[in-house]
């Protein structure tokens, strides 16, 4: 079998071509928030790690006029790049979907094919309703979500430790290890009441837990992060400080790992994870169940 090996000049040319090639547009369109279209679309596009996409989100396309405006944007993207955009949509209205499908693009309707297959399988006619995917704003799910978000905000960064009785989980870790965004994501997406507590230099001088955390040992979950990444994040916050120095970060890393080990606190290295993956892994590792759908 003959295998072509590119010459050095060919390799340079190929690399140059990839750098100057236009981005392929990807549109996430919905007659609602577009959260479902974007979440699933981004997940699918992430499987093509060597391709860069120009992402555009268009929510609330719920009228004929807005549908035509969306088509104009899609066609403009095609005209500028010469590449057919990818269009992920979760549009319920047949009329509006037909307009969107007329764009010069590769249309990837998320609902149409799946709903028809489900309807066939369960022998039930669907009753499409815009916005149904995210529920009624007066629902118990919505109230649980808002309550959890308020709890996360009120109990961020060890602010109100006297409310830990109401926590589902208490995230612990070094400063800038991702505790706050993870707490908020757990609240917003899963309805989990998550507090977080930073283990400071004073806390790390002993292998024991701070007294305020000891009664809640069973709720603790630790986040860890690679030292080099921690240094970069802290440098962005306080460049040139002792707080952001390699030596300080290394010392804190050794101390917190000792606490996790001696206190048997489950923990997760989040260095290469998105906040979505961190939250999902935590639920998997702790056995917690989400409060909202």
């Amino acid at each position: 079998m003959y295998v072509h090996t590119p010459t050095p000049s060919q390799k340079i040319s190929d690399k140059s071509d990839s750098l100057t090639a236009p981005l392929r547009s990807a549109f996430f369109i919905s007659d609602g928030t577009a959260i479902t279209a974007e979440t699933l679309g981004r997940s699918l596009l992430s499987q093509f790690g060597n391709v860069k996409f120009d992402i555009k989100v268009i929510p609330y396309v719920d009228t004929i006029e807005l549908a035509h405006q969306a088509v104009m944007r899609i066609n403009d993207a095609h005209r500028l790049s010469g590449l057919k955009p990818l269009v992920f949509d979760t549009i319920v209205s047949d009329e509006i979907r037909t307009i969107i499908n007329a764009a010069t693009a590769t249309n990837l309707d998320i609902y149409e094919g799946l709903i028809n297959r489900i309807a066939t399988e369960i022998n039930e006619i669907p009753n499409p309703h815009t916005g149904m995917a995210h529920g009624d704003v007066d629902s118990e799910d919505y109230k649980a979500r808002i309550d959890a978000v308020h709890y996360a905000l009120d109990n961020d960064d060890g602010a109100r430790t006297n409310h830990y009785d109401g926590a589902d989980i208490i995230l612990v870790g070094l400063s800038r290890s991702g505790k706050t965004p993870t707490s908020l994501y757990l609240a917003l997406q899963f309805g989990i009441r998550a507090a977080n507590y930073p283990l400071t230099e004073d806390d790390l001088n002993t292998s024991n837990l701070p007294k305020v955390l000891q009664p809640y040992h069973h709720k603790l979950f630790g986040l860890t992060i690679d030292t080099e990444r921690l240094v970069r994040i802290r440098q962005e916050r306080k460049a040139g400080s002792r707080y952001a120095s390699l030596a300080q970060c290394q010392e804190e890393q050794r101390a917190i790992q000792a606490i996790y080990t001696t206190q048997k606190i489950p923990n997760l290295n989040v260095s290469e994870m998105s906040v979505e993956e961190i939250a999902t892994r935590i639920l998997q590792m702790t056995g917690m169940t989400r409060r909202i759908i």
Side-chain angles (χ1 to χ4, degrees), residues 22-27 54 56 68-87 102-106:
L23 295 179
R24 184 181 293 273
S25 294
F27 286 83
D54 182 14
K56 299 176 176 68
H68 284 298
Q69 290 177 14
V71 169
M72 289 176 61
R73 289 185 61 182
I74 296 167
N75 289 343
D76 284 345
H78 173 251
R79 184 166 54 253
L80 289 172
S81 68
L83 301 172
K84 275 189 173 184
L86 303 177
V87 176
T104 307
T106 298

Side-chain angles (χ1 to χ4, degrees), residues 18 24 48 70 79 110 156 159 163 170 189 215 217 239 263 268:
S18 66
R24 184 181 293 273
F48 304 91
R79 184 166 54 253
I110 294 173
D156 182 43
H163 290 171
I170 303 170
Q189 295 298 324
H217 185 285
Q263 299 296 324
L268 178 67

Side-chain angles (χ1 to χ4, degrees), residues 14-84:
D14 291 344
K15 184 177 182 181
S16 175
D17 289 344
S18 66
L19 292 175
T20 58
L23 295 179
R24 184 181 293 273
S25 294
F27 286 83
F28 305 132
I29 302 177
S30 177
D31 42 20
T33 63
I35 291 174
T36 301
E38 183 178 4
T39 300
L40 182 55
R42 284 186 182 274
S43 177
L44 293 170
L45 294 182
S46 70
Q47 307 304 309
F48 304 91
N50 294 326
V51 181
K52 298 294 184 183
F53 295 96
D54 182 14
I55 302 295
K56 299 176 176 68
V57 181
I58 311 180
Y60 301 113
V61 181
D62 53 5
T63 67
I64 300 300
E65 180 183 359
L66 291 174
H68 284 298
Q69 290 177 14
V71 169
M72 289 176 61
R73 289 185 61 182
I74 296 167
N75 289 343
D76 284 345
H78 173 251
R79 184 166 54 253
L80 289 172
S81 68
L83 301 172
K84 275 189 173 184

Side-chain angles (χ1 to χ4, degrees), residues 3 10 21-22 34 45-46 55-57 59-60 80 125 140 152-153 175 179 185 199-200 212 229 245 251 255 258 285:
V3 178
Q10 286 176 310
L45 294 182
S46 70
I55 302 295
K56 299 176 176 68
V57 181
Y60 301 113
L80 289 172
I125 297 174
E140 290 302 314
L153 291 171
S175 171
K179 300 180 300 300
Y185 190 88
L199 294 175
T200 65
V212 70
R229 184 171 176 81
S245 68
E251 182 179 341
M285 293 174 67

Side-chain angles (χ1 to χ4, degrees), residues 10 41 65 98 157 220 259 274:
Q10 286 176 310
E65 180 183 359
T98 299
D157 222 20
L220 301 182
I259 289 177
S274 65

